[in-house]
Amino acid sequence: MATTTAPVPLDIPSLLPDSTHLITGEWVPARSRSTIDVANPATGTVIARVPRGAAGDIDDAVRSAEAALPAWRDTSPAVRGELLYRWAELVREHDDDINRLEAIEVGHPVGPSPIAARLTYLAGKADKVLGDTLPTRSPNVLGLTLREPYGVVGAIIPWNAPGPMTVFNTAAPIAAGNTVVLKPAEDAPLTALYLARLALEAGIPPGVLNVVTGYGSEAGAALPAHPGIRKMSFTGSPATGTAVMEACARNLIPLQLELGGKSPQIVLPDADLDKAIPAIVRSIVMNSGQVCAAGSRVLVHSSLHGRLVEELAARFRAVRVGTWDQPVDMGPLINARQEKRVLDYLAIGREEGAEIVVGGGKLTEPPYSEGYFVEPTLFDQVRPEMRIAQEEIFGPVLSVLTYDDEDEAVAIANGTRYGLTATVWTRDIGRAVRLARRVEAGQVAVNTVGDGGPTGSIGTPFGGYKNSGFGRSMGHDYLEDWTQVKAVVIDASPTR
Ligand code: NAP
Ligand code: MG
């Protein structure tokens, strides 16, 4: 598991000006001058204040993005790419500050971050967005397609991974020539603001990336409702995703949606458990399970059930819980509401008849007493229809379900509303291929999780089937999603 070294103090005022967000390259307060406190979820200590932006601030930001659009759209894609490379370089140079800023506002331990690498990947795509030449009915006619940016696009991101979310949802549209208004979550807005500061320092022109902080019901709701927005991306809960989609429908604009999951870890009878078990535990403990792709359900063949539960339990007991600056595996949950949600699910699981093997409650003794710390919890005897097997908990809660044959494993795996990611653990290549095809998920890993991490695949598309959403981020064609196709037909035939 990831560990951290000695605590290093973080001087937030040196990274970000107080109580301002970014519009037209200027750090400005909210029109209302109101602010929101940002707290360290491990201690409850206020670490910064950000503007409580609302509809008027969103309007300012959209106008700023509209003003920046013509020049940015007409900037050579090669130059756009160079500026994004420079942004990636600055991110790499300030990696330590970015990681610690995200750690302190989200509460997770510091660990390696993928964002500079993702930014570099997207920068390299800026000048590789191609149109087509079309076959024509006459040699005197030339038909072609141009890929043009949409214009001003909006992004709403959640609090669980603000660094990666900022990059995934702003860098591709910017690289493709759009300008952006980003609304980060009230609980974790600092990393987004700092990344935007670095974008500005990299030379990405003022107004190309604007960040408005504020509550979801105020600044968030105003963004997809603004008539100047031409496309949206949203990552978060299904309920808010529905509201954003309704607003997009009223404005008749497209949307990319990522709404979480209930991702299965399918353990086949021949699985390499020594490889599978640490990965399964890491997948649900990472960021205290507040990860849309968390492997929150283990589907184990009945022949392995006893051994798997025993070994998972031993590892759950060994999970080190604490603050981001200590060598721990897991921090607190983000806020009181999320803590209540997770504790409610622990009660629901008990009532439904699942058996708690490890954990099951809040950590209340010092050093946990001031934060939203919940024990990593292992539920056994979970049945597919139970709510803890169906609903996204977004906490360090793992459910073990048993199956007897491959068809049953597939039925359980596919038996939720979600379809974000899945893992298959097996040494049998035939079963791996069959299951990878049959599982309904936007991403299926075999003998690893996600894209395989630092040694895994590059440019791996990410996004959901079913109610996990639609649209993919980060694939080789991701920039194209932020362009619209214009067909051009040129009649060059001589006048008769
Ligand atoms: P959420 O309400 O979906 O929040 C996500 C983002 O949407 C935040 O920036 C939020 O702003 C904003 N927002 C809230 N209401 C809005 C509205 N009416 N219009 C536009 N934007 C709005 O999620 P949450 O309340 O933070 O978390 C609740 C649950 O959602 C979690 O327990 C988890 O199950 C799920 N979730 C999933 C993901 C994921 O990666 N798919 C991420 C986070 C949460 P504010 O936070 O500033 O209000
Ligand atoms: Mg929220």
Side-chain angles (χ1 to χ4, degrees):
M1 295 233 156
T3 56
T4 55
T5 46
V8 189
L10 183 62
D11 180 18
I12 294 174
S14 74
L15 305 179
L16 288 170
D18 183 43
S19 300
T20 56
H21 51 198
L22 186 64
I23 300 176
T24 329
E26 303 286 339
W27 295 95
V28 293
R31 281 192 188 189
S32 67
R33 309 275 155 169
S34 329
T35 57
I36 298 172
D37 289 343
V38 182
N40 174 350
T43 58
T45 314
V46 173
I47 52 171
R49 287 177 309 171
V50 294
R52 179 176 168 182
D57 305 270
I58 289 288
D59 188 51
D60 292 343
V62 173
R63 286 173 198 281
S64 147
E66 280 171 345
L69 180 67
W72 184 246
R73 184 180 51 204
D74 291 344
T75 297
S76 157
V79 173
R80 292 202 298 256
E82 278 165 23
L83 292 171
L84 274 123
Y85 274 127
R86 180 73 192 123
W87 189 14
E89 272 169 32
L90 288 180
V91 165
R92 209 164 267 123
E93 265 170 44
H94 297 278
D95 198 39
D96 199 40
D97 284 336
I98 296 166
N99 289 345
R100 288 182 301 140
L101 199 53
E102 189 181 89
I104 196 172
E105 65 176 343
V106 179
H108 62 62
V110 250
S113 164
I115 65 179
R118 299 294 201 283
L119 206 41
T120 303
Y121 179 84
L122 293 169
K125 289 283 176 191
D127 59 357
K128 296 169 193 69
V129 174
L130 306 179
D132 295 319
T133 54
L134 305 171
T136 51
R137 296 182 179 86
S138 146
N140 286 336
V141 173
L142 181 62
L144 51 96
T145 61
L146 305 176
R147 283 201 168 265
E148 298 186 334
Y150 279 92
V152 179
V153 303
I156 298 176
I157 60 169
W159 41 262
N160 59 331
M165 293 289 169
T166 297
V167 167
F168 297 173
N169 292 289
T170 66
I174 288 173
N178 303 276
T179 56
V180 177
V181 177
L182 171 70
K183 207 303 278 180
E186 94 225 24
D187 290 304
L190 304 177
T191 312
L193 289 168
Y194 186 56
L195 285 167
R197 181 190 143 178
L198 296 180
L200 202 59
E201 281 179 20
I204 293 174
V208 171
L209 174 56
N210 305 276
V211 183
V212 176
T213 54
Y215 294 121
S217 56
E218 298 175 356
L223 186 54
H226 196 291
I229 297 293
R230 305 274 28 117
K231 181 168 179 177
M232 278 297 302
S233 70
F234 172 82
T235 305
S237 64
T240 305
T242 303
V244 170
M245 195 167 165
E246 283 167 355
C248 289
R250 280 192 289 276
N251 268 340
L252 297 172
I253 58 166
L255 165 70
Q256 175 182 302
L257 265 188
E258 201 272 271
L259 303 178
K262 195 70 189 175
S263 297
Q265 298 267 354
I266 308 175
V267 182
L268 294 175
D270 66 340
D272 178 350
L273 288 189
D274 292 338
K275 191 174 176 185
I277 287 171
I280 290 170
V281 176
R282 205 161 35 240
S283 169
I284 193 68
V285 163
M286 188 175 71
N287 209 0
S288 308
Q290 301 168 122
V291 178
C292 46
S296 50
R297 294 183 293 154
V298 180
L299 281 46
V300 62
H301 189 263
S302 44
S303 64
L304 287 182
H305 173 259
R307 181 179 160 205
L308 182 95
V309 171
E310 204 171 291
E311 294 190 19
L312 284 175
R315 285 198 174 256
F316 263 67
R317 287 190 194 99
V319 170
R320 297 162 301 174
V321 183
T323 54
W324 66 277
D325 51 2
Q326 298 298 315
V328 297
D329 306 309
M330 192 184 108
L333 298 168
I334 188 75
N335 57 29
R337 195 159 63 99
Q338 194 61 26
E339 181 184 273
K340 177 175 185 317
R341 177 187 173 97
V342 173
L343 294 174
D344 284 351
Y345 274 110
L346 297 182
I348 290 167
R350 282 192 182 94
E351 282 160 23
E352 289 179 313
E355 178 194 319
I356 289 183
V357 183
V358 182
K362 182 171 162 52
L363 288 159
T364 48
E365 298 299 310
Y368 304 119
S369 41
E370 304 304 318
Y372 309 110
F373 289 96
V374 170
E375 291 175 296
T377 298
L378 180 64
F379 269 118
D380 192 16
Q381 309 298 333
V382 178
R383 290 190 312 276
E385 69 279 7
M386 289 180 181
R387 287 184 61 192
I388 58 166
Q390 289 290 330
E391 298 172 17
E392 185 176 55
I393 297 174
F394 233 55
V397 183
L398 183 63
S399 290
V400 179
L401 298 93
T402 312
Y403 68 86
D404 287 316
D405 63 36
E406 204 173 296
D407 285 345
E408 192 185 359
V410 171
I412 298 172
N414 291 344
T416 75
R417 66 187 294 198
Y418 292 108
L420 192 56
T421 69
T423 287
V424 180
W425 297 97
T426 180
R427 291 185 171 95
D428 180 331
I429 187 76
R431 285 176 166 230
V433 170
R434 282 198 301 277
L435 282 164
R437 291 231 192 244
R438 293 180 70 193
V439 170
E440 294 167 345
Q443 207 174 63
V444 182
V446 176
N447 296 334
T448 183
V449 290
D451 66 2
T455 59
S457 62
I458 297 167
T460 316
F462 183 77
Y465 277 30
K466 303 196 292 188
N467 287 175
S468 289
F470 40 77
R472 297 287 176 274
S473 59
M474 285 313 301
H476 74 89
D477 51 0
Y478 185 33
L479 262 58
E480 293 175 9
D481 290 350
W482 296 97
T483 66
Q484 47 194 345
V485 173
K486 177 183 281 176
V488 178
V489 182
I490 305 166
D491 184 344
S493 55
T495 314
R496 279 174 222 274

